[in-house]
Amino acid sequence: MTEHTSPYDTTALTKPATRLRIPQLKQMKVEGRKWAMLTAYDMYSAVIFEDAGIPVLLVGDSASNNVFGNDSTLAVTVDELLPLVRAVTRSTRRALVIADLPFGSYQVSPEQCLQTAVRFMKEAGAHAVKIEGGVELLPHIAKLSVSGIPVMAHIGFTPQMEHQLGGYRVQGRGEDGQRLIDSAKALEAAGAFALLIEMVPGDVGAAITQAVAIPTVGIGAGNQCDAQVLVWQDMAGLRQGRLPRFVKQYADLRSVLQTAARDFADDVQAGTFPGPEHTF
Ligand code: KIV
């Protein structure tokens, strides 16, 4: 009798459902255990990263560039991000999945922020959300927090404000560093469960990490943060062109995929694929 196997990898569905929880992240800071976070926007990347031991996945608004082909994060919408978050939560069993709230979907008011966050929790199964900004977001963070929605605040360089900030620039240099440390403390007091710190001098990343009891996740913020995050296509070498200084490329997937695609095309042109073993 022929054995019928699923064409899809369903291993994730059989894993024990022990999701990482926010208190565990806080405990890891207490114990000085660092952790890694990656972006993920689909089932395969999410399952691969979870299996590799990445405890936290971010469905970033960087999907705007890395999935939808826009030239900034500003264009992506809630309706575009929701299915990506759903794919990541549905296909993982252990990772904590954070949904990025896109530009314009939370800045208007704490109420708008809550409504958008609720959509990501209800319709996509997100476990937490992330929003970009400093003290102007204290009421938004307090609103989410009392409503039971864990929120990560993104400070330092905030890509959704690239036009106001004059492009991709390091933030918190000189005296501005203290402003960032003060906002980090205020965001913690308002209820943020973690801080993502982007593109600040290493000593500012370290000072913020010292100043707060919640975990800090750095991207271009030095190695003293409690965790580090990278966009997965940068980390794995899918992206073409000049990479930001904070990126370390751990693989060259672009070449691997190009070679595979070329080999496939060559085989088809030569008539060597499909072979007898692929033919019914
Ligand atoms: O959307 C994103 O990918 C981010 C990065 C800074 C990790 O927020």
Side-chain angles (χ1 to χ4, degrees), residues 39 58 60-62 100 130 154 196 198 219 229 231:
T39 62
L58 170 69
D61 61 353
S62 52
D100 228 354
K130 173 167 89 58
H154 181 155
L196 189 148
E198 181 163 355
I219 178 161
V229 61
V231 169

PDB file of all heavy atoms in Angstrom, residues 39 58 60-62 100 130 154 196 198 219 229 231, ligand 1:
ATOM      1  N   THR A  39      13.789  38.824  12.248  1.00  0.00           N
ATOM      2  CA  THR A  39      12.506  39.049  11.602  1.00  0.00           C
ATOM      3  C   THR A  39      12.101  37.746  10.913  1.00  0.00           C
ATOM      4  O   THR A  39      12.953  36.903  10.586  1.00  0.00           O
ATOM      5  CB  THR A  39      12.590  40.166  10.542  1.00  0.00           C
ATOM      6  OG1 THR A  39      13.507  39.779   9.525  1.00  0.00           O
ATOM      7  CG2 THR A  39      12.988  41.487  11.161  1.00  0.00           C
ATOM      8  N   LEU A  58      10.195  38.682  15.050  1.00  0.00           N
ATOM      9  CA  LEU A  58       9.535  39.966  14.805  1.00  0.00           C
ATOM     10  C   LEU A  58       9.006  39.984  13.377  1.00  0.00           C
ATOM     11  O   LEU A  58       9.782  39.823  12.428  1.00  0.00           O
ATOM     12  CB  LEU A  58      10.548  41.114  14.975  1.00  0.00           C
ATOM     13  CG  LEU A  58      10.058  42.494  14.519  1.00  0.00           C
ATOM     14  CD1 LEU A  58       8.961  43.025  15.445  1.00  0.00           C
ATOM     15  CD2 LEU A  58      11.216  43.493  14.462  1.00  0.00           C
ATOM     16  N   GLY A  60       8.365  42.332  11.207  1.00  0.00           N
ATOM     17  CA  GLY A  60       8.675  43.751  11.156  1.00  0.00           C
ATOM     18  C   GLY A  60       7.948  44.463  10.024  1.00  0.00           C
ATOM     19  O   GLY A  60       7.583  43.846   9.017  1.00  0.00           O
ATOM     20  N   ASP A  61       7.814  45.788  10.196  1.00  0.00           N
ATOM     21  CA  ASP A  61       7.286  46.565   9.074  1.00  0.00           C
ATOM     22  C   ASP A  61       8.346  46.647   7.976  1.00  0.00           C
ATOM     23  O   ASP A  61       8.084  47.134   6.876  1.00  0.00           O
ATOM     24  CB  ASP A  61       6.804  47.959   9.518  1.00  0.00           C
ATOM     25  CG  ASP A  61       7.912  48.794  10.112  1.00  0.00           C
ATOM     26  OD1 ASP A  61       9.027  48.285  10.322  1.00  0.00           O
ATOM     27  OD2 ASP A  61       7.657  49.998  10.372  1.00  0.00           O
ATOM     28  N   SER A  62       9.537  46.106   8.248  1.00  0.00           N
ATOM     29  CA  SER A  62      10.549  45.965   7.200  1.00  0.00           C
ATOM     30  C   SER A  62      10.070  45.005   6.109  1.00  0.00           C
ATOM     31  O   SER A  62      10.697  44.913   5.053  1.00  0.00           O
ATOM     32  CB  SER A  62      11.876  45.483   7.791  1.00  0.00           C
ATOM     33  OG  SER A  62      11.668  44.329   8.579  1.00  0.00           O
ATOM     34  N   ASP A 100       4.895  44.242  14.354  1.00  0.00           N
ATOM     35  CA  ASP A 100       5.205  45.675  14.246  1.00  0.00           C
ATOM     36  C   ASP A 100       3.940  46.409  13.808  1.00  0.00           C
ATOM     37  O   ASP A 100       3.293  45.981  12.845  1.00  0.00           O
ATOM     38  CB  ASP A 100       6.251  45.841  13.122  1.00  0.00           C
ATOM     39  CG  ASP A 100       7.404  46.706  13.532  1.00  0.00           C
ATOM     40  OD1 ASP A 100       7.379  47.286  14.630  1.00  0.00           O
ATOM     41  OD2 ASP A 100       8.358  46.786  12.733  1.00  0.00           O
ATOM     42  N   LYS A 130       5.027  46.002  18.604  1.00  0.00           N
ATOM     43  CA  LYS A 130       6.135  46.983  18.713  1.00  0.00           C
ATOM     44  C   LYS A 130       5.683  48.277  18.072  1.00  0.00           C
ATOM     45  O   LYS A 130       5.037  48.264  17.017  1.00  0.00           O
ATOM     46  CB  LYS A 130       7.385  46.436  18.010  1.00  0.00           C
ATOM     47  CG  LYS A 130       8.518  47.438  17.917  1.00  0.00           C
ATOM     48  CD  LYS A 130       9.821  46.788  17.510  1.00  0.00           C
ATOM     49  CE  LYS A 130      10.076  46.704  16.024  1.00  0.00           C
ATOM     50  NZ  LYS A 130      10.085  47.992  15.310  1.00  0.00           N
ATOM     51  N   HIS A 154      10.381  51.051  20.360  1.00  0.00           N
ATOM     52  CA  HIS A 154      11.537  51.103  19.445  1.00  0.00           C
ATOM     53  C   HIS A 154      12.087  52.530  19.486  1.00  0.00           C
ATOM     54  O   HIS A 154      11.400  53.465  19.065  1.00  0.00           O
ATOM     55  CB  HIS A 154      11.016  50.725  18.056  1.00  0.00           C
ATOM     56  CG  HIS A 154      12.033  50.688  16.963  1.00  0.00           C
ATOM     57  ND1 HIS A 154      11.876  49.916  15.831  1.00  0.00           N
ATOM     58  CD2 HIS A 154      13.215  51.327  16.780  1.00  0.00           C
ATOM     59  CE1 HIS A 154      12.906  50.089  15.014  1.00  0.00           C
ATOM     60  NE2 HIS A 154      13.733  50.948  15.568  1.00  0.00           N
ATOM     61  N   LEU A 196      13.549  48.136  21.880  1.00  0.00           N
ATOM     62  CA  LEU A 196      14.433  47.906  20.740  1.00  0.00           C
ATOM     63  C   LEU A 196      15.203  49.210  20.522  1.00  0.00           C
ATOM     64  O   LEU A 196      14.598  50.286  20.460  1.00  0.00           O
ATOM     65  CB  LEU A 196      13.625  47.529  19.496  1.00  0.00           C
ATOM     66  CG  LEU A 196      14.470  47.049  18.309  1.00  0.00           C
ATOM     67  CD1 LEU A 196      13.704  46.023  17.482  1.00  0.00           C
ATOM     68  CD2 LEU A 196      14.921  48.190  17.425  1.00  0.00           C
ATOM     69  N   GLU A 198      17.837  51.171  18.112  1.00  0.00           N
ATOM     70  CA  GLU A 198      18.445  51.098  16.768  1.00  0.00           C
ATOM     71  C   GLU A 198      19.433  52.248  16.563  1.00  0.00           C
ATOM     72  O   GLU A 198      19.113  53.415  16.835  1.00  0.00           O
ATOM     73  CB  GLU A 198      17.333  51.155  15.703  1.00  0.00           C
ATOM     74  CG  GLU A 198      17.895  51.062  14.282  1.00  0.00           C
ATOM     75  CD  GLU A 198      16.853  50.709  13.231  1.00  0.00           C
ATOM     76  OE1 GLU A 198      15.686  50.444  13.585  1.00  0.00           O
ATOM     77  OE2 GLU A 198      17.220  50.685  12.044  1.00  0.00           O
ATOM     78  N   ILE A 219      20.092  46.864  17.651  1.00  0.00           N
ATOM     79  CA  ILE A 219      20.434  46.703  16.227  1.00  0.00           C
ATOM     80  C   ILE A 219      21.281  47.933  15.916  1.00  0.00           C
ATOM     81  O   ILE A 219      20.778  49.053  15.871  1.00  0.00           O
ATOM     82  CB  ILE A 219      19.188  46.531  15.311  1.00  0.00           C
ATOM     83  CG1 ILE A 219      19.604  46.409  13.842  1.00  0.00           C
ATOM     84  CG2 ILE A 219      18.127  47.594  15.522  1.00  0.00           C
ATOM     85  CD1 ILE A 219      18.550  45.793  12.927  1.00  0.00           C
ATOM     86  N   VAL A 229      19.002  41.946  17.355  1.00  0.00           N
ATOM     87  CA  VAL A 229      18.083  41.594  16.270  1.00  0.00           C
ATOM     88  C   VAL A 229      18.705  41.951  14.931  1.00  0.00           C
ATOM     89  O   VAL A 229      19.460  42.930  14.827  1.00  0.00           O
ATOM     90  CB  VAL A 229      16.717  42.314  16.425  1.00  0.00           C
ATOM     91  CG1 VAL A 229      16.832  43.816  16.397  1.00  0.00           C
ATOM     92  CG2 VAL A 229      15.719  41.859  15.339  1.00  0.00           C
ATOM     93  N   VAL A 231      17.458  41.832  10.549  1.00  0.00           N
ATOM     94  CA  VAL A 231      16.497  41.475   9.498  1.00  0.00           C
ATOM     95  C   VAL A 231      17.033  40.212   8.827  1.00  0.00           C
ATOM     96  O   VAL A 231      18.217  40.150   8.467  1.00  0.00           O
ATOM     97  CB  VAL A 231      16.370  42.631   8.481  1.00  0.00           C
ATOM     98  CG1 VAL A 231      15.587  42.202   7.246  1.00  0.00           C
ATOM     99  CG2 VAL A 231      15.704  43.838   9.139  1.00  0.00           C
TER     100      VAL A 231
HETATM  101  O1  KIV B   1      10.868  46.118  11.114  1.00  0.00           O
HETATM  102  C1  KIV B   1      12.002  45.735  11.417  1.00  0.00           C
HETATM  103  O2  KIV B   1      12.575  44.856  10.781  1.00  0.00           O
HETATM  104  C2  KIV B   1      12.660  46.375  12.541  1.00  0.00           C
HETATM  105  C3  KIV B   1      14.138  46.165  12.665  1.00  0.00           C
HETATM  106  C4  KIV B   1      14.771  47.293  13.333  1.00  0.00           C
HETATM  107  C5  KIV B   1      14.489  44.884  13.302  1.00  0.00           C
HETATM  108  O3  KIV B   1      12.037  47.032  13.315  1.00  0.00           O
END
